[in-house]
């Protein structure tokens, strides 16, 4: 394909590019085990990663998507583990219901306490988030220690997140943390294996806020 | 693996997690066609994506890594196509040599001009970037139209970037834009196929700034 002669179609508006991409994804994915609302999330994850293997590895607690929609409609906050997730999440569809998108990992008090306790900022930021925003949607794309801490707090009865989107990427602890998440009987979205990352967490939350907007 | 009994090793410091991850990557990747300095980039891309296929698909112009190091040491700016790339790039190693990390896509004048010309903000933001920061490192993780515009300006002799890290992800135009980039005889880092994304662009720039820091 000579892109210079075909330049016009390549500069279509973002909405058109997205619509064409979604058609290609549905066609190439073929049969899949997801419900219609789960597929809205999977489709957006594949769109963000161009990775069908990652898309097929997605796992959903049966109440996950509805719990996410409910949290957004109730104006609950979204808590991102890192800045990349915070900036990637589309804000207007969350803010119109009274919510916001937060990130605690670079707060001065979080950094100080992590140093004092000789632990990760990710862990301390989750503790702060639960104090300030329990019931919200937790979007974890990077830090397995954040996800493990959140799981620990849930098991201890100290946290009751509205939804956990737990998709950290990496070679150390990421896959294990997601296996532990998948054992919980609370609303979660995750995936098997090492893959994941900020764009996956962002895609999942954006898919859910779109579903929430369409439901009203 | 029962992560609760193995909790201590999972909460090791980020530097230790990174070192262990890098060992695993080198062992699992095995033989590869990259030079030592190119491999510093590839290793960090695999670390960020947990995707060996993506890592193996990376392509380097022969001068790419040295040109990137030179740009950072000369205090040239890094230009990100989107906010997610801007926030992900490690700032201290760039700022210590006088550079900074910029993103133009949400500037008011860029949004207005894109609307007026009925084109993408990505295209207009590249035109603005070239006016203000030619010679810098262009880190494009999302917008194929940004990369195509940059290629067009280079071909026209209107732009002379220090290095192009062109790794947009997606189903429409992404792979084609990278094929076009790989034809240029200027410093570029890219990959074949649809995969890529913000974390890949971030990983590549961070790898290069680390190499720059070690060279002084």
């Amino acid at each position: 394909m000579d892109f210079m002669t075909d330049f016009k179609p390549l500069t279509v508006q973002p909405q058109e590019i997205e619509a064409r991409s979604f058609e290609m994804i549905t066609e190439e994915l073929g049969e899949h085990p997801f419900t219609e609302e789960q597929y809205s999330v999977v489709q957006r994850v594949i769109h963000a990663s161009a990775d069908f293997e990652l898309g097929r590895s997605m796992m959903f607690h049966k109440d996950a998507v509805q719990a996410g929609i409910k949290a957004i409609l109730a104006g609950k906050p979204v808590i991102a583990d890192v800045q990349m997730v915070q900036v990637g999440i589309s804000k207007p569809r969350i803010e119109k219901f009274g919510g916001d998108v937060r990130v605690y990992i670079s707060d001065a008090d979080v950094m100080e306490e992590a140093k004092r306790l000789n632990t990760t900022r990710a862990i301390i930021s989750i503790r702060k988030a639960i104090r300030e925003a329990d019931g919200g949607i937790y979007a974890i794309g990077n830090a397995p220690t954040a996800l493990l801490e959140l799981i620990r707090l849930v098991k201890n009865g100290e946290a009751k997140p509205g939804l956990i989107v737990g998709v950290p990427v990496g070679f150390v602890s990421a896959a294990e943390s997601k296996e532990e998440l998948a054992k919980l009987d609370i609303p979660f979205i995750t995936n098997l294996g090492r893959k994941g990352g900020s764009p996956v967490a962002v895609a999942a939350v954006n898919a859910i806020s779109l579903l929430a907007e369409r439901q009203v």
Side-chain angles (χ1 to χ4, degrees), chain A residues 45-56 195:
Chain A
V45 165
I46 296 173
H47 180 244
S49 62
D51 191 336
F52 287 92
E53 182 190 274
L54 173 55
R56 287 191 179 280
K195 290 180 180 176

Side-chain angles (χ1 to χ4, degrees), chain A residues 168-199:
Chain A
V169 60
F171 289 82
V172 175
S173 309
E176 295 86 342
S177 69
K178 292 184 279 191
E179 278 173 33
E180 291 302 317
L181 177 61
K183 291 178 191 166
L184 297 185
D185 185 19
I186 62 162
F188 67 77
I189 297 175
T190 188
N191 74 296
L192 292 176
R194 292 166 168 173
K195 290 180 180 176
S198 299

Side-chain angles (χ1 to χ4, degrees), chain A residues 21 38 50 59 63 69 91 101 109 136 138 159 178 181 186 188 196 201 210 213:
Chain A
S21 302
Q38 289 169 352
M59 289 180 63
D63 302 328
I69 292 171
K91 311 294 181 301
V101 185
D109 57 340
Y138 283 72
K178 292 184 279 191
L181 177 61
I186 62 162
F188 67 77
L210 271 166
E213 193 175 50

